[in-house]
Amino acid sequence: MTKITLRRPDDWHLHLRDGAMLAAMAPESARHFARAIIMPNLVPPVVTGAEAAAYRDRIRAALPEGSDFTPLMTLYLTEATDPDDLARAHAEGIVTAAKLYPAGATTNSASGVRDFDKVRPVLERMAEIGMPLCVHGEVVDAEIDIFDREAVFIDRVLDPIRRATPGLRVVMEHITTRQGVDYARSGGADLGATITTHHLVLNRNHILVGGIRPHYYCLPVAKREEHRLALRAAATSGEGCFFLGTDSAPHVDAAKESGCGCAGCFTATNTLSVLAEVFEQDGALDRLEAFTSLNGPAFYGLPANEARVVLQRGEPVSYPARIETGAGPVTVFDPGFPLHWRVL
Ligand code: DOR
Ligand code: ZN
């Protein structure tokens, strides 16, 4: 196969940031993607419907002239989230989903949830109105090893929440483990999982062997090879519960290449070429469209995009090593292998 045509992809988990960073990042995602679920972990976070509407307008203003990219907004759940405000913002079409960050789990998550019982009324309202909950699935307990935090979260937090809130639609964001894959598969129509581009490529050796690679550090951190293989099998399976959420999370190089580097891989620019290479390596190019363009809209109850993108195989494609932004340079994810699929 040397040419593939896909319905235009969507990104079901994206960090666009704000200000000078947003100005540089909006065009990077709008180039190949039609829609994206926009993460609300700004400083301060996007907590109310009014804040989400204002952020949506700033994103629209940052798009290139004529772009039809649609930001699908999310609210950042806190223990003080007002269920009425959330339901109103959902009914008015301002927000698509809400994001649950355990407090302290990752970048700008300090206002997240410490006591999950405190958000029970919000979760019940979300189940009633059919509003999906996007979950950063890691426990933050100091005694839990960072490589076990996802598996422990599923048992201690996610499964109890789902049992206590029948009908709640949940997206397990950026799963990184075999346990995450297995749980997503077992959950029926109300459970989905996003998988990032970089977690299909990296295991923990890539971060640590031969020197520390700050641009491969993200959260949840990449795990052992057996987990990467489980993610590859899930993403390339075509199964409806698995869909692309890049978690493209730009930080300027100075913040990554530091004594305490920020978590996040920036993949928006070259994701489609990387995914085509990955699916080709696994003999699954015929299932790429399900992962990038069909399963996500089906879960969110939205139509798949009518527009198409064409990928062509040929000589290796080059992408910029970094994107210059008004806040500083941001390094583009290096998959470590040549990319033969060009997005036309
Ligand atoms: O690696 C990550 N970066 N994981 C997250 O959960 C947050 C993100 C960010 O905002 O930088
Ligand atoms: Zn994220």
Side-chain angles (χ1 to χ4, degrees):
M1 227 189 291
T2 57
K3 222 179 211 191
I4 27 180
T5 302
L6 308 173
R7 283 182 186 259
R8 194 139 165 249
D10 302 304
D11 185 347
W12 299 96
H13 181 130
L14 175 64
H15 298 268
L16 283 179
R17 316 294 192 205
D18 213 343
M21 187 65 100
L22 169 60
M25 291 303 144
E28 293 304 304
S29 283
R31 190 176 302 127
H32 297 156
F33 293 95
R35 298 170 288 200
I37 286 275
I38 308 298
M39 287 297 122
N41 63 332
L42 305 182
V43 191
V46 179
V47 171
T48 65
E51 288 162 359
Y55 183 33
R56 176 200 60 198
D57 293 346
R58 296 199 296 282
I59 293 169
R60 286 180 181 158
L63 291 170
E65 194 68 29
S67 169
D68 60 356
F69 179 83
T70 303
L72 302 170
M73 307 308 292
T74 60
L75 289 183
Y76 183 120
L77 282 193
T78 73
E79 293 180 1
T81 294
D82 172 5
D84 291 333
D85 178 69
L86 170 137
R88 199 178 317 118
H90 184 253
E92 289 172 0
I94 296 168
V95 299
T96 300
K99 174 76 187 234
L100 177 66
Y101 285 106
T106 187
T107 311
N108 304 334
S109 63
S111 321
V113 176
R114 258 162 250 281
D115 177 356
F116 296 97
D117 283 338
K118 295 223 172 102
V119 292
R120 183 168 300 279
V122 179
L123 301 184
E124 277 162 11
R125 182 70 79 85
M126 291 176 69
E128 255 171 63
I129 64 179
M131 178 178 183
L133 177 72
C134 300
V135 178
H136 183 110
E138 290 188 285
V139 293
V140 294
D141 314 51
E143 74 276 11
I144 306 291
D145 189 276
I146 192 165
F147 293 100
D148 298 331
R149 288 178 172 199
E150 179 172 301
V152 172
F153 183 89
I154 292 168
D155 292 343
R156 286 196 194 164
V157 183
L158 182 58
D159 193 58
I161 286 179
R162 293 189 59 241
R163 285 175 194 277
T165 327
L168 181 65
R169 317 208 62 229
V170 172
V171 183
M172 301 170 69
E173 300 283 36
H174 43 52
I175 55 170
T176 59
T177 57
R178 181 174 47 72
Q179 291 89 335
V181 167
D182 291 347
Y183 189 77
R185 266 195 183 122
S186 73
D190 287 335
L191 188 62
T194 58
I195 301 177
T196 75
T197 306
H198 50 283
H199 287 117
L200 296 175
V201 174
L202 304 176
N203 63 34
R204 62 194 197 178
N205 280 18
H206 293 102
I207 310 172
L208 296 170
V209 172
I212 189 159
R213 319 267 167 176
H215 296 288
Y216 289 164
Y217 171 62
C218 67
L219 288 170
V221 71
K223 310 294 192 298
R224 288 180 178 274
E225 177 67 355
E226 71 162 289
H227 297 290
R228 186 186 72 92
L229 294 176
L231 296 170
R232 288 275 283 235
T236 59
S237 70
E239 286 165 81
C241 58
F242 301 114
F243 37 94
L244 174 64
T246 64
D247 196 15
S248 181
H251 294 275
V252 295
D253 285 351
K256 297 283 297 171
E257 300 166 6
S258 146
C260 183
C262 292
C265 296
F266 170 62
T267 55
T269 303
N270 60 0
T271 272
L272 284 193
S273 292
V274 176
L275 288 176
E277 201 77 28
V278 161
F279 276 64
E280 181 180 50
Q281 288 164 5
D282 288 5
L285 278 174
D286 57 332
R287 294 191 284 275
L288 179 58
E289 186 181 42
F291 183 64
T292 60
S293 318
L294 301 176
N295 296 347
F299 182 88
Y300 275 92
L302 295 168
N305 298 304
E306 283 305 327
R308 305 292 200 272
V309 292
V310 178
L311 282 79
Q312 177 148 36
R313 197 183 200 293
E315 289 305 307
V317 194
S318 59
Y319 282 95
R322 52 192 63 79
I323 304 292
E324 297 301 331
T325 83
V330 173
T331 291
V332 176
F333 177 67
D334 173 7
F337 46 72
L339 300 175
H340 298 91
W341 290 91
R342 177 185 306 278
V343 185
L344 298 184

